[in-house]
Amino acid sequence: MPIPPDHPPVASSRIGLLVVNLGTPDGPDVASVKRYLLEFLSDRRVVEIPPIVWQPLLRGLILNTRPKRSAAAYAKVWMPEGSPLAVYTRRTAEAMQAHLGTGILVDWAMRYGNPSIADRLQAMKDAGCDRILLAPLYPQYSGATTATANDAAFAAMATMRWQPAVRTLPPYHDDPAYIDALKTSIERHLATLDFAPDLLVASFHGMPERTLHMGDPYHCQCRKTARLLSEAMGRDIAVTFQSRFGRAKWLEPATDATLEAMPEKGIASVAIFTPGFSADCLETLEEIAMEGRETFLAAGGKDFAYLPCLNADTEAITLYARLFSRELAGWWNTNGTII
């Protein structure tokens, strides 16, 4: 039956894939960083302190001191195309669009900053996407990462009269495809070094220790990733946690303290990688590749190498193709047809 002439326009049915990462300021300047930090540190999944206590501290001391330091750090790693995290996330989305073909609309968003999850979901809905796979690129699940990305998507859909059907990408910390991607990437980068590291170090983003006791699986999933990777590579991998903030006790051992203590223990050369991050960002490029190197060498270390994240490299796209195709099953066939 033909559509009546006075019927509102309806876009053809499509499937969407929204790749999501943490977020980044719009620029490496103080004003942009301040806006970003206000949004990021106001998320109650990120800072689980009552707002009546936290907000005065955040809007007073923290936002009047930290943005200047953070802006200087961002300036060290900023790329011609923009923030590294945004650049690599966009490249990942573009590569997945090319891989999956025109049957699926692939887009990308940031939990904090731009482009926002709400904006991109609306754009996908306007383009006819009535089925969307949300893909937060966090291998290990945490309430402060995966959950808050999904929260933002669900909040955006709460404002929609006609909501799309939605699936969410589960954590993939122990997926054989992820372990294989890490192994292949690490071994490829190790082969380019002019030294053989005494030890490999896996540095994961830290979390307050109490999140573990409250039931967050992040710590356990980080440990499992490192164990499976160690078994796959046939060599020891030390696990550390970086990016401590505030006075609370955080997951240990701390990356900076571990690097500083290594030379005294006879570890003269080290290669460090960050398997909790899907793409390089401030915390990997400035905190580890730069500050970590300085810490290790100042303590008497001889050779230091930072091994990049999967980013949008071949290993990453191979991994995501397997993960996304599996989660799209029942909606879409690998031959490119919509079910």
Side-chain angles (χ1 to χ4, degrees), residues 193-216:
L193 302 181
D194 59 2
F195 69 93
D198 298 327
L199 183 65
L200 288 182
V201 178
S203 179
F204 294 88
H205 199 289
M207 293 285 177
E209 186 182 273
R210 63 190 177 89
T211 61
L212 169 62
H213 304 303
M214 293 170 68
D216 198 301

Side-chain angles (χ1 to χ4, degrees), residues 32-62:
S32 296
V33 172
K34 188 172 184 177
R35 286 195 303 272
Y36 167 72
L37 289 178
L38 176 60
E39 182 183 9
F40 174 47
L41 297 176
S42 292
D43 187 338
R44 296 193 64 183
R45 282 199 184 269
V46 173
V47 180
E48 297 181 276
I49 299 173
I52 194 172
V53 176
W54 173 243
Q55 283 295 323
L57 178 60
L58 173 62
R59 294 170 184 270
L61 177 64
I62 295 173

Side-chain angles (χ1 to χ4, degrees), residues 95-256:
M96 289 312 305
Q97 183 70 82
H99 179 84
L100 295 173
T102 57
I104 293 180
L105 176 62
V106 183
D107 207 341
W108 64 284
M110 293 291 174
R111 171 59 184 90
Y112 314 102
N114 296 304
S116 72
I117 292 174
D119 285 348
R120 300 328 300 157
L121 277 177
Q122 187 60 58
M124 297 181 92
K125 185 67 175 64
D126 293 343
C129 294
D130 53 12
R131 288 173 286 179
I132 298 174
L133 171 62
L134 300 174
L137 296 186
Y138 305 110
Q140 300 80 22
Y141 176 95
S142 173
T145 54
T146 309
T148 192
N150 290 337
D151 284 349
F154 300 148
M157 289 190 297
T159 68
M160 296 179 179
R161 177 168 294 276
W162 185 359
Q163 294 179 331
V166 168
R167 294 176 178 175
T168 62
L169 179 70
Y172 48 95
H173 64 286
D174 59 354
D175 193 293
Y178 169 58
I179 301 302
D180 184 64
L182 288 177
K183 176 179 181 292
T184 303
S185 176
I186 290 168
E187 290 179 342
R188 176 168 62 84
H189 288 296
L190 286 175
T192 68
L193 302 181
D194 59 2
F195 69 93
D198 298 327
L199 183 65
L200 288 182
V201 178
S203 179
F204 294 88
H205 199 289
M207 293 285 177
E209 186 182 273
R210 63 190 177 89
T211 61
L212 169 62
H213 304 303
M214 293 170 68
D216 198 301
Y218 177 76
H219 177 265
C220 298
Q221 293 186 359
C222 290
R223 289 286 182 178
K224 188 172 185 181
T225 293
R227 175 175 61 80
L228 292 175
L229 182 59
S230 175
E231 292 171 357
M233 297 187 67
R235 60 186 299 171
D236 291 337
I237 295 176
V239 174
T240 63
F241 296 90
Q242 64 182 86
S243 309
R244 290 171 295 173
F245 177 74
R247 298 180 179 179
K249 182 175 176 60
W250 281 53
L251 297 176
E252 293 181 337
T255 301
D256 53 359

Side-chain angles (χ1 to χ4, degrees), residues 256-334:
D256 53 359
T258 301
L259 288 173
E260 187 174 20
M262 280 181 177
E264 192 172 295
K265 296 178 180 179
I267 301 172
S269 61
V270 65
I272 186 167
F273 59 101
T274 51
F277 297 83
S278 60
D280 278 309
C281 56
L282 182 71
E283 287 79 5
T284 67
L285 298 174
E286 197 269 343
E287 183 179 352
I288 300 300
M290 297 179 186
E291 291 187 357
R293 172 187 295 274
E294 292 177 5
T295 297
F296 182 71
L297 297 181
K302 180 183 177 184
D303 298 303
F304 177 98
Y306 169 69
L307 310 181
C309 293
L310 293 178
N311 294 321
D313 292 343
T314 300
E315 296 90 351
I317 304 309
T318 300
L319 165 65
Y320 298 142
R322 293 179 63 178
L323 295 179
F324 299 159
S325 295
R326 181 179 66 203
E327 298 306 320
L328 288 166
W331 284 357
W332 173 84
N333 285 327
T334 53

